[in-house]
Structure formats: structure tokens, C-alpha cells
Amino acid sequence: MALQSSPSQLALVDIRQKRRFLVLHLPYWATDYLKRAEPRLKENPLALYERIKGGLRLAALDPEGLQNGLRLGQNLADARAIWPALTVLEIDRPRLETAFGDFADWHSNASPLVSVMTDISRFGDLVLDITGVAHLFGGETEMLRTLIIRLRKLGYRVSGAIAPTIGAAWAVSHFARSQVVEDDSFAALLDALPVAALRLEESQLLTLGQMGLKTIGQVRQYPRKSLHTRFSQILLRIDQAFGAIEERMTPRLPLVDHLVEQRFADPISLMDDVLRTTHDLSVKLSKTLEAEGLGGQTFHLFLYRVDHKVMTLSLNAGRVTRDPEHIADLFRHRAQRLETEYDPGFGIDMVRLAASSTDRLDAVQTGAFSIEEGTEDIARLNDRLSSRLGPLAVLRTEMVASRLPERAARLVPTQSGQTDAPIAAPPLQRPVKLLPMPEIVAIMAEVPHGLPASMVWRGESFRLVSGQGPERLGAEWWRKQERLKLVEPPKPKKPEPGEKPVPPPYIPDLLLFNPDAGTRDYYVVEDQHGSRFWVFRQGLYSKGNRPIWYLHGFFP
């Protein structure tokens, strides 16, 4: 293959540069793919059928079938009568769409920006943004020739075109010979093509034919106001094809800012070889980023298999980095977790490493005179753990601007980034341990609003000898009502004969607690044994209202 490049050559192109698009049209993809996947089907002509309106109708054909009088949409029984030697199978569209998606990803070895065009069919048309890439093949003509030849060698019938717009490239690839269309000549070429080259619906094509409009040039000469009234989509397609309106593609693979790659004369398959190659590419990518004063936060590994499939692996770092050892370690740890899913097929002939979400990263002193305070090592450890166990398995506590204790902190992934400013600590001391759900207790006090004197919790009595409080917290009226849930404990096992039955676990009355209801008065109380509890009274004493007491946490 002619594509050999350095990292800088494949960097993204200036958006001010004129775009160039390559469209590959594979009209017989379904039958070509099945014949390649199952060699037994190569012996006879092949047709695929599907159930449409209660009947069996042809959905895909070989060229030989079209040459012998068959047509798409024809009744299957009529097709068998015309050509008894025809091999027929029911079409499996999900399989074909998935296979064509993998096939499209494989073409990212020619251009990083590849998309499937689904205007007419979910499979059969590819578009590549080749802006700034064609010179790696020796020019646009040689690039088009290289891609078409390699597909034909694989057994696919294909045509292609390169043009300044996606619509123009699609039209030429479908209705003209394969060619490179220059910016100053594509308008005249498009005008001579039939109106079907505008990717219109069948009903619209039929109406245009009844109006005597056969070519794109004739449609363009028709008054736009009249077309806009009846065919607004036609004007959109015309403007897209001629460049008046930009038509954007949606790349299948992640967009990257910088990439490096390694090709192999002999394919590799062992995971160890892939990881060694990833380490070497990490060093190259680090040098590229360092030359531009950048670092990356998201990294992508692409493994191109010889059977025209691509395996992708993407991961994130907690902060911007270009440390090659750290990048390689992240992929090594992730590979350990995905080892059972690794399938190199018949081998891997190219490995590509890319970085995205780049940002400025100034050079820092390392070694004996480093000014690190240990945060870098903690961040790297969190990255490695997240890569090995998954981003949701490594969490950190993040403070929240709330006085309600169950809302004052939350767990977030370590790679979610730091908060802009630390949240001030509550003015009073908070317990080290909070219960998953405040549990109802019985409190006795000498006077209604006095300090608690005794407490009954889970059937056990506590004599309270000292206390501090209250700290009054009001409900946060701007929040929606949210109930904390307590995980139900497992049911006790049935005792064996002769064993003493185990009492059922204590389950507090959770239905009485509502975190948004009323006012809470919190107290720090201590019993005769020195144990300190955090209790609160929900509600206030009033006529006909008796507040409820809860135990919320424990102090050391």
C-alpha cells in the first residue's frame, strides 16, 4: 500500500482549506460480501429476497441477474421461473449493515474521516474527507485508483469519484465514470447528469419526469420559487451538490487531533506485540505533542486487521498529559480487562495511536528538582485504576453546597475533573459515619425543647449524660423531594434441625422519614459509656403535633 506518513503529515488540516471528498459506490455490496464470506456461493448467481407487502420480492442482485432479465422488487417466483439456476437467500439487513460499518472503518487507513452515506441505502456508499491526505498517495488520481484497485482485488465491484462536495462526488460515482472532478469543471458535469443523481425519493423523481425535467441542468433552469413551493428538498440537494450549502459528514471513528501509526510487513497477533507497539507509538506521539506544547486527555488505539476490520479502544486521563509511559500503562491496564474480548482475526497489519481533547501543556521540571506535591502520582494511580477496573469503579468524594448532611457530599468518578473551588466546611462538627437512612429512635427529654436524656435504638436503651445543640437546619425548598434508600438486608438462612433460630434483622420504619419535610434540630449526645451519637428532631412541638426523633450518625 502506498500510504506512508509521519505524524505531522496526518495532522488535521486548516479549516480554511478547500474540502475534497471521495465517494466509493459499491452497488453489489450485499452479494459481493456474501460471496466473499461464503465461497460456496461463488459458483452460481446470487439473489437476496425479503418479505414486502405479504410477498417475497428481490432486494439485491448480482450483475448477471440484471443481465438476464431480473430486476429489483420482482416477485421471487417470477425470478425463479426466468432463471432456475439462481441461488436465493433471505436478506439479513442488520448483518449487512454491521459488516458495511466495519468495512467503512477499515478505510480510515486512507483517511481519518470516513462515513457511511445512508440516503439511499444503509450500505453501499462510503464518503471520505481526503482534504490534505491525497498527497500521501501521490495525488488525488493515484489515490482514487489505489482504493478502487484494492477493492476490486478483494472481489468488490466499485466505482468512485473525487469532488469538492459530497453531493457532487456521490452523483459522479453513481452516474458517470470514475474520475477526479476539479473545482472549475464539476458544475458542467453535474448539469448533464440525470435528476436521480440528486439523491431524491422515487415519488419526486416520478413527478419531475412528468414535468419533463430529466437532467440536473433542466431542473436548475426551472424557477426556484416554483420548485421551492413543491420540492423544497430538491433545492437543498442542488445547493449541497454545487456548494452553496455545506453538507457535513458524520465520521464513524472518533475525531482526533494528532496521530501516529505503525505498519507491518508481516501481520502481528499477540497482545504483547500490540502493547509493545503501543509503547513505541506513545513515545512518538509524545514527541509530536511536545513539539507543539500540547497534551492530550483522550487517547484512541486503532488495530487494523487483515480481514478488513478495525478494533478501537479509547480511554481518558484525569488531566492533560503527554507522558509516554503513562499513556502506555493506561492501554496495558485496559488490555488486561478486555483480554477475553481480544480477537486479532488473521492478524493485524497496522496499529494507530491518536490523541484528542488536546490543550496547552507547558514543560515542567522532573527529577531531583521537581516541584510536584504528590498530586501527579495520585492522578496517575487513579487513571491506571480507572483503566483497569472501569471509570465508574474508582470514585472520589466531592463536596456539595448543601447544609443537609446527606446532600453535602457525593461520589463522582476520579476522572470527572476537579471542582472549580472548594466548598466551605459546615460550621459545626460532622460525624465520621452517617447511616444510609436515618433510623427512628425514641428520645426522652426533661422538657420538650431540652437536651435528650435517654434514647432507645433498635430495642436497646442508652442513658445520655451530655449533649450539645441544637443546630437547626431547614428544608431546601428549591430541591425536588428525594428519598434516600436503604438496601434491604439479606434474609436469614433457615436453621438446620437442632440449631437455634436466628432473629430477623432489624429494619427501621423508612416510610416515616422525608428529607424535605419540616425543620430539623440536630444534637450531639453522649451516653454513659462515652459513645457519641448524632440525633435530630424533625418538626417542632405544637398542639396536636409530636415531632419524630432520628439517629443519623456516629462520632469517633
Side-chain angles (χ1 to χ4, degrees):
M1 209 174 299
L3 180 56
Q4 298 291 339
S5 62
S6 65
S8 59
Q9 287 175 308
L10 283 179
L12 294 184
V13 186
D14 190 337
I15 59 175
R16 294 171 297 181
Q17 186 174 350
K18 293 183 178 180
R19 316 302 298 182
R20 299 290 287 176
F21 299 95
L22 186 155
V23 171
L24 294 172
H25 174 47
L26 297 95
Y28 307 104
W29 155 260
T31 53
D32 288 345
Y33 168 75
L34 292 177
K35 286 187 174 183
R36 177 178 171 80
E38 304 179 29
R40 64 179 180 83
L41 298 176
K42 292 183 178 180
E43 301 176 359
N44 298 317
L46 177 64
L48 305 179
Y49 70 90
E50 65 180 342
R51 301 180 183 275
I52 301 178
K53 296 180 180 179
L56 304 181
R57 310 208 176 261
L58 298 184
L61 280 171
D62 272 342
E64 294 83 357
L66 296 174
Q67 295 171 2
N68 284 271
L70 303 183
R71 57 181 174 80
L72 296 179
Q74 188 176 22
N75 188 282
L76 179 59
D78 296 339
R80 285 184 178 275
I82 295 175
W83 201 351
L86 186 67
T87 301
V88 295
L89 297 173
E90 186 172 5
I91 191 170
D92 187 350
R93 291 190 179 275
R95 176 191 176 186
L96 294 175
E97 292 174 11
T98 301
F100 194 73
D102 295 337
F103 182 74
D105 294 341
W106 177 70
H107 278 79
S108 63
N109 57 17
S111 171
L113 305 179
V114 184
S115 180
V116 176
M117 299 187 66
T118 57
D119 302 279
I120 303 300
S121 174
R122 304 291 297 184
F123 49 82
D125 292 308
L126 292 179
V127 57
L128 290 75
D129 187 339
I130 62 170
T131 309
V133 176
H135 70 281
L136 303 175
F137 292 84
E140 292 183 348
T141 301
E142 188 61 28
M143 180 179 185
L144 179 62
R145 178 176 176 274
T146 299
L147 297 187
I148 289 179
I149 289 178
R150 76 176 184 178
L151 289 179
R152 288 176 178 174
K153 287 181 178 179
L154 294 175
Y156 296 108
R157 279 156 282 208
V158 59
S159 60
I162 296 177
T165 66
I166 296 176
W170 188 93
V172 174
S173 66
H174 279 248
F175 296 93
R177 61 180 178 83
S178 299
Q179 58 185 295
V180 176
V181 183
E182 301 298 337
D183 293 359
D184 55 355
S185 61
F186 81 100
L189 178 60
L190 289 181
D191 283 340
L193 298 180
V195 293
L198 293 175
R199 293 174 289 164
L200 302 176
E201 299 177 357
E202 289 293 335
S203 59
Q204 294 175 328
L205 295 177
L206 180 61
T207 304
L208 290 175
Q210 294 173 348
M211 296 172 59
L213 303 177
K214 304 295 184 181
T215 66
I216 295 178
Q218 292 176 342
V219 175
R220 292 181 67 197
Q221 294 175 0
Y222 204 82
R224 286 183 63 94
K225 186 175 182 180
S226 301
L227 287 176
H228 179 73
T229 303
R230 302 179 59 185
F231 309 103
S232 57
Q233 184 184 9
I234 294 179
L235 294 180
L236 174 63
R237 291 301 190 192
I238 290 177
D239 291 340
Q240 288 176 339
F242 287 87
I245 296 178
E246 181 183 7
E247 181 178 3
R248 298 184 178 182
M249 57 182 289
T250 304
R252 284 181 50 86
L253 296 180
L255 295 177
V256 299
D257 301 322
H258 296 80
L259 59 88
V260 292
E261 61 187 32
Q262 176 66 52
R263 298 176 182 271
F264 306 98
D266 296 321
I268 63 175
S269 59
L270 297 179
M271 175 66 77
D272 291 340
D273 294 334
V274 172
L275 293 178
R276 278 193 290 268
T277 303
T278 303
H279 180 273
D280 295 340
L281 292 178
S282 298
V283 175
K284 296 180 182 179
L285 182 61
S286 176
K287 292 180 179 179
T288 303
L289 295 174
E290 184 179 10
E292 301 186 25
L294 298 175
Q297 196 167 4
T298 304
F299 300 92
H300 314 275
L301 186 66
F302 305 95
L303 306 180
Y304 292 83
R305 297 180 1 181
V306 296
D307 56 354
H308 317 121
K309 294 183 180 180
V310 183
M311 295 184 291
T312 62
L313 184 61
S314 301
L315 49 80
N316 296 318
R319 59 179 67 185
V320 177
T321 182
R322 58 169 177 261
D323 183 358
E325 299 297 332
H326 183 50
I327 297 172
D329 281 346
L330 293 182
F331 284 104
R332 178 170 57 84
H333 286 286
R334 178 64 62 85
Q336 293 175 2
R337 182 161 67 98
L338 303 178
E339 189 172 3
T340 57
E341 303 176 13
Y342 173 69
D343 179 16
F346 296 101
I348 298 169
D349 58 5
M350 190 180 85
V351 178
R352 174 180 290 172
L353 179 63
S356 61
S357 301
T358 57
D359 201 353
R360 294 295 305 175
L361 182 61
D362 297 329
V364 296
Q365 176 68 44
T366 60
F369 300 99
S370 173
I371 59 175
E372 291 184 2
E373 299 177 352
T375 57
E376 287 286 343
D377 292 336
I378 295 177
R380 293 191 184 99
L381 175 61
N382 288 333
D383 287 346
R384 291 194 297 268
L385 290 174
S386 297
S387 179
R388 179 68 179 88
L389 305 175
L392 298 182
V394 185
L395 307 175
R396 62 179 174 84
T397 301
E398 181 181 74
M399 302 304 295
V400 179
S402 175
R403 292 301 182 97
L404 297 181
E406 67 272 11
R407 289 175 175 158
R410 62 185 175 186
L411 294 176
V412 297
T414 57
Q415 294 185 328
S416 63
Q418 301 292 335
T419 55
D420 296 334
I423 303 298
L428 295 181
Q429 184 181 7
R430 289 292 186 258
V432 175
K433 178 182 179 181
L434 287 179
L435 291 173
M437 171 71 80
E439 298 185 10
I440 191 170
V441 292
I443 293 288
M444 297 296 294
E446 295 181 358
V447 294
H449 291 282
L451 292 174
S454 64
M455 177 178 70
V456 179
W457 173 53
R458 294 187 179 182
E460 184 177 355
S461 298
F462 300 85
R463 185 168 62 87
L464 307 178
V465 297
S466 65
Q468 177 185 353
E471 176 192 0
R472 178 161 293 182
L473 299 179
E476 296 178 344
W477 53 266
W478 59 90
R479 295 180 183 271
K480 295 181 180 179
Q481 180 171 332
E482 299 175 359
R483 290 181 180 270
L484 298 179
K485 296 181 180 179
L486 181 65
V487 178
E488 184 177 354
K491 296 181 180 179
K493 296 182 179 179
K494 185 177 181 181
E496 299 292 336
E499 290 184 353
K500 186 177 180 180
V502 180
Y506 175 79
I507 302 179
D509 187 359
L510 304 182
L511 299 179
L512 294 178
F513 176 69
N514 182 355
D516 290 322
T519 301
R520 304 186 205 173
D521 285 340
Y522 277 89
Y523 296 84
V524 179
V525 295
E526 182 177 341
D527 68 359
Q528 71 274 23
H529 302 295
S531 300
R532 302 174 68 212
F533 307 92
W534 204 40
V535 298
F536 71 89
R537 181 184 63 235
Q538 182 169 281
L540 302 175
Y541 288 100
S542 61
K543 185 177 180 180
N545 181 40
R546 183 180 179 84
I548 303 174
W549 286 85
Y550 295 90
L551 173 63
H552 204 161
F554 307 90
F555 289 92

